[in-house]
Amino acid sequence: MASHTIRVTLPDGTELELPRHATAAEAAKRIGPGLAKAALAAEVDGEIVDLTRPLEADCDLRILTERDSEALELLRHSAAHVLATAVRNRVPGAEIGFGPAIEDGFYYDFGVEEPFTPEDLEAFEEEVRRVIEADHPFERRRVTKEEARELFHDDPLKLERLEEFEDDEVITVYRDGPFLDLCRGPHVPSTGRVRNVKLLSAAGAYWRGDERRQMLQRIYGTAFFKEKELEEHLERLEEAKKRDHRVLGQELDLFAVDQRVGPGFILWRPHGSLIRNEIEEYEKELILRHGYEIVYTPHIMSERLFEISGHLENFGEDMFGAMDMKGVRYRAKPMNCPGHICIYQAAQRSHRELPIRYAEFGTVYRYERTGVLHGMLRVRGFTQDDAHVFCTEEQVPGEIEALLDLVDEMLQVFGYPYTLTVATRPEKALGSEEQWARAEHALKSVLEGRGIDYDVDEGGGAFYGPKLDFQLIDAIGRKWQGPTVQLDFNLPERFEIEYVGEDNERHRPVMLHRVLIGSMERFVGGLIEHYAGAFPLWLAPVQVRILPISEQWLEDAREFVQELRDLGIRAELKARETLSYRIRDGEVRKVPYMGVIGEREVEGGTVAVRRRGAGKKQEVMDREAFVERLLEEIRTRALG
RNA sequence: GCUCCGGUAGCUCAGUGGUAGAGCGCUUCCUUGGUAAGGAAGAGGUCGAGGGUUCAAUUCCCUCCCGGAGCUCCA
């Protein structure tokens, strides 16, 4: 027998007695008028629902306000509906696609005759404000599939989506004023609760993400509860724009792409090359210390090798075409592993030799589709800091341990915090389930043994083995793909690689692919943005500029520059223009140190040192002390 | 690859159906400087490429190349 009242338990443990079918909004009102006003939605037994949802039975209830982290997604999803309402008001014939909340905002896809222009976006933003002012309540309705077909008879995209529902499935629609959408919800109570909306951009997007389907027009936007948060978000976008490696790469003379060379190929100019070289030198020292051996393999190899490796079959579309030389076909390598395997196979290997770790700054070529190319971040020719570890299955945990140390050491040097993800067996996978389970267990238990937090990407591994990925977090909080370690059950089989065990039998070793930096191009591109072009001293292309105040002190300055160069410091003499001009130029070029030399400095054997970004604050130092400071900062690879 | 936007001096960009502009940079000269641009003069362009319309095309139209915002993709 159902009673007429229900018991509602609040997060603090107190209980409310409410009439059955009371709504969450009514519950909020019972708790307090302030909460009732601030309420946006409710969590009932762990499920987030609209405030208008009747409570049918005893339950746990939490009222969500803008202070709750879940609320932002709600706001943005509702903002997407407000956008669609606005677009439909202006363009009545617009077909409506999907409009979800995403990481930093929301989008909505529309099928329209004419693509949207920036002026359209402004008009829509104006209309969005009107829809918000109108304060239409969001009304949820449960409908049958038949009813829904009727409601959306003018919306072909929605009808298509509708047909995917089971006949007896719960279908809900939401109305706000004139706009009706097929939507699971929940939403904020009314359009008036949506605030601080900014439409950011419009671009084409395929219906259902399928490139064979209709192209819709997607509008991206974002929304925040507080105006200040919106402003800060827009400032972050501005900041990201200022850090764009393509802009800084041009300004600081680091790299270029040249139409004559071809799309997706990077020309490293001298200053960019210096940075890259420093990184490579550092990494070589690091990995030699960690027991790697450095190898080199050719850029062009016989196609036969890629038939054995399976690259041609699985990856052929992305490889550069074959070069036919007197009947033998050759390919630019898309990966370094086959070459390393050939080196491994140059001799019969004993378990006593393992693990064998081959490392190469290996340049590979991949024919990426034109639309994906992007500065240094996505290119067609790039150099990986690639390594392959050949070991026994028992040695895998130890190798993972060693790698965690290596990665941690390296990422600290560059100043990147990071997170980890273990990617597990996908549906289609090579190797036995036990093999995968053992490998995944090995990865996870090493991490757990060290008390390291990690995410799991279920089914995200490659078909040939599980993966451990590191995500870097840059100076403005963006995530970048970092080091990866990949177990490989495939290539050892294909190449039939072996070692002789203690039992004098042949065994198949396990192979690990790993990159730390990934691609030099992408990593340096990322670093440019991470440091906003202001590289720490050890990486700065020009470390010190010496500025004599007038030609009178030129000779002294020249000698000092040479002294610095003799110590391996990248010093430059800048003597021509006015001092102010040279200071400004040094700051704009982000030179870490400038040393001014005038009458006083020549007499005292000192130098007036100005640190990048420190403004007028200068420090007159003995030259010896200045040199010491530079050498120490370079030696420790200080982040500055 | 797809949709849209763009390509003008080394760089950033303005402009026009009738002989092409600015700022920075570069060269030369003057200035000999004390902490974010001293002054002057000069050089520098097949207006992305090809085709079409036109008396005339950098400008309008078409094709291609390259770049950008996204989509898709990143084994």
Side-chain angles (χ1 to χ4, degrees):
Chain A
M1 263 296 268
S3 78
H4 295 291
T5 61
I6 53 170
R7 250 174 213 296
V8 173
T9 311
L10 303 178
D12 67 356
T14 54
E15 291 188 355
L16 286 183
E17 197 171 278
L18 289 171
R20 183 173 301 270
H21 311 308
T23 64
E26 284 158 356
K29 211 178 263 173
R30 278 278 297 278
I31 300 167
L35 184 64
K37 215 173 146 208
L40 291 168
E43 186 183 327
V44 177
D45 290 336
E47 187 197 355
I48 296 178
V49 300
D50 298 299
L51 281 179
T52 51
R53 181 76 72 90
L55 305 172
E56 306 291 355
D58 292 356
C59 60
D60 291 330
L61 175 75
R62 183 164 73 104
I63 301 297
L64 297 182
T65 70
E66 64 180 60
R67 295 227 292 271
D68 295 292
S69 56
E70 297 94 333
L72 194 58
E73 194 185 325
L74 214 64
L75 171 78
R76 288 167 174 174
H77 182 198
S78 296
H81 279 236
V82 169
L83 168 62
T85 311
V87 170
R88 265 286 176 80
N89 285 350
R90 296 269 174 147
V91 190
E95 295 176 19
I96 46 174
F98 291 143
I102 52 174
E103 191 165 345
D104 281 321
F106 62 88
Y107 67 78
Y108 210 110
D109 287 342
F110 302 95
V112 283
E113 296 287 312
E114 289 293 313
F116 298 132
T117 63
E119 295 74 49
D120 290 335
L121 283 196
E122 277 174 41
F124 293 150
E125 209 168 276
E126 184 58 42
E127 189 68 28
V128 161
R129 277 193 282 277
R130 267 190 224 128
V131 174
I132 290 172
E133 257 171 53
D135 198 18
H136 304 298
F138 277 100
E139 294 168 285
R140 175 180 190 267
R141 247 180 82 199
R142 283 180 65 157
V143 295
T144 64
K145 200 163 166 181
E146 201 42 55
E147 284 172 302
R149 277 197 197 108
E150 185 50 39
L151 287 169
F152 292 103
H153 66 275
D154 278 339
D155 289 304
L157 303 175
K158 290 292 171 187
L159 285 176
E160 184 184 326
R161 171 69 185 97
L162 200 54
E163 289 316 310
E164 289 166 17
F165 284 96
E166 301 297 327
D167 284 333
D168 54 352
E169 216 173 323
V170 175
I171 298 173
T172 58
V173 299
Y174 275 80
R175 173 175 290 287
D176 62 284
F179 181 67
L180 183 76
D181 202 351
L182 181 68
C183 175
R184 186 182 296 134
H187 281 282
V188 297
S190 69
T191 60
R193 303 300 288 275
V194 173
R195 274 167 287 159
N196 304 311
V197 177
K198 177 78 189 162
L199 301 185
L200 296 169
S201 62
Y206 299 107
W207 168 232
R208 317 219 67 174
D210 184 337
E211 61 184 316
R212 290 162 307 197
R213 306 291 302 269
Q214 174 185 2
M215 173 77 65
L216 304 177
Q217 292 301 313
R218 174 172 297 179
I219 296 179
Y220 283 94
T222 192
F224 289 86
F225 286 111
K226 295 199 168 37
E227 193 179 350
K228 188 151 171 265
E229 290 170 337
L230 174 63
E231 278 166 18
E232 281 167 3
H233 179 75
L234 297 178
E235 274 164 32
R236 271 199 301 281
L237 293 180
E238 276 304 304
E239 176 64 22
K241 226 185 205 170
K242 265 190 267 170
R243 287 170 179 254
D244 189 321
H245 74 284
R246 292 164 303 181
V247 175
L248 288 171
Q250 169 68 31
E251 274 173 21
L252 301 177
D253 245 341
L254 303 178
F255 75 95
V257 283
D258 188 315
Q259 224 186 101
R260 293 167 301 180
V261 177
F265 295 111
I266 300 297
L267 293 170
W268 292 76
R269 309 220 271 226
H271 284 184
S273 301
L274 250 164
I275 292 166
R276 169 176 171 167
N277 189 249
E278 281 299 325
I279 294 170
E280 287 184 0
E281 291 300 316
Y282 162 63
E283 193 180 352
K284 273 183 207 162
E285 176 207 308
L286 179 72
I287 63 178
L288 286 173
R289 209 155 22 90
H290 279 81
Y292 286 79
E293 298 174 283
I294 290 172
V295 299
Y296 295 97
T297 62
H299 290 204
I300 297 170
M301 307 190 205
S302 165
E303 186 174 81
R304 177 80 192 109
L305 193 64
F306 300 109
E307 279 170 21
I308 299 171
S309 70
H311 285 125
L312 212 54
E313 189 189 331
N314 296 313
F315 194 59
E317 290 275 295
D318 299 303
M319 288 172 66
F320 275 84
M323 288 162 267
D324 192 308
M325 300 300 288
K326 303 217 162 112
V328 182
R329 288 160 69 87
Y330 294 88
R331 293 281 195 154
K333 65 175 168 180
M335 288 187 148
N336 300 302
C337 7
H340 292 189
I341 289 172
C342 291
I343 295 177
Y344 177 92
Q345 289 179 313
Q348 196 171 65
R349 303 294 176 182
S350 150
H351 69 96
R352 294 170 189 280
E353 291 176 80
L354 304 185
I356 286 175
R357 308 182 189 92
Y358 294 142
E360 175 178 9
F361 289 98
T363 304
V364 297
Y365 296 90
R366 301 180 188 179
Y367 192 79
E368 303 280 3
R369 295 164 79 177
T370 50
V372 307
L373 301 175
H374 182 85
M376 296 182 104
L377 303 184
R378 195 78 185 270
V379 293
R380 285 180 173 161
F382 56 97
T383 302
Q384 292 181 304
D385 65 326
D386 207 358
H388 296 92
V389 178
F390 302 87
C391 63
T392 68
E393 200 174 313
E394 296 72 46
Q395 286 170 330
V396 170
E399 286 305 300
I400 302 295
E401 292 268 1
L403 224 81
L404 289 174
D405 289 334
L406 191 58
V407 168
D408 191 68
E409 186 179 338
M410 189 195 88
L411 294 183
Q412 274 192 36
V413 164
F414 292 106
Y416 282 120
Y418 59 94
T419 58
L420 288 97
T421 305
V422 174
T424 62
R425 189 172 196 273
E427 296 246 325
K428 277 177 119 186
L430 274 169
S432 70
E433 290 203 25
E434 301 79 66
Q435 197 175 18
W436 275 83
R438 281 200 304 273
E440 288 170 12
H441 177 75
L443 289 175
K444 289 177 180 172
S445 61
V446 168
L447 295 175
E448 279 155 22
R450 292 194 166 206
I452 297 172
D453 282 335
Y454 62 92
D455 293 324
V456 177
D457 178 7
E458 291 294 349
F463 72 92
Y464 52 81
K467 214 161 51 159
L468 177 57
D469 284 324
F470 294 73
Q471 294 83 38
L472 311 186
I473 299 160
D474 80 1
I476 54 172
R478 296 173 303 178
K479 285 196 167 185
W480 298 74
Q481 176 59 55
T484 68
V485 190
Q486 172 100 54
L487 269 78
D488 188 343
F489 305 140
N490 179 40
L491 289 180
E493 290 293 332
R494 281 182 170 267
F495 279 89
E496 300 180 327
I497 56 179
E498 295 173 333
Y499 69 91
V500 178
E502 275 177 84
D503 53 6
N504 201 29
E505 297 291 324
R506 288 161 192 270
H507 298 274
R508 189 123 299 161
V510 173
M511 193 172 160
L512 268 68
H513 308 249
R514 77 100 183 97
V515 293
L516 301 180
I517 271 161
S519 112
M520 291 310 301
E521 282 73 7
R522 184 177 286 185
F523 191 78
V524 171
L527 268 191
I528 292 170
E529 305 204 356
H530 181 47
Y531 295 136
F535 284 85
L537 191 65
W538 75 281
L539 287 174
V542 175
Q543 295 172 316
V544 189
R545 268 190 185 172
I546 297 301
L547 316 177
I549 282 180
S550 76
E551 270 173 36
Q552 231 179 315
W553 322 112
L554 190 57
E555 211 30 56
D556 183 76
R558 192 170 276 151
E559 276 169 27
F560 189 39
V561 165
Q562 193 55 52
E563 192 185 318
L564 292 166
R565 286 185 173 171
D566 288 344
L567 292 163
I569 294 167
R570 296 186 288 272
E572 223 176 57
L573 183 70
K574 196 89 175 161
R576 299 241 331 265
E577 303 84 351
T578 59
L579 185 63
S580 282
Y581 181 93
R582 287 176 280 157
I583 299 266
R584 178 185 148 79
D585 187 69
E587 289 288 347
V588 169
R589 302 234 148 211
K590 303 187 193 294
V591 176
Y593 284 103
M594 282 181 270
V596 177
I597 288 179
E599 187 173 9
R600 297 197 292 268
E601 288 77 15
V602 170
E603 277 175 11
T606 58
V607 55
V609 175
R610 181 185 163 116
R611 173 86 231 213
R612 174 179 59 203
K616 283 195 163 93
K617 267 183 285 167
Q618 60 157 345
E619 195 181 346
V620 179
M621 301 178 75
D622 283 337
R623 292 188 191 176
E624 226 169 86
F626 179 48
V627 167
E628 274 313 305
R629 181 202 280 194
L630 292 173
L631 290 175
E632 181 65 6
E633 199 175 323
I634 292 166
R635 190 185 63 77
T636 57
R637 300 195 176 88
L639 282 168

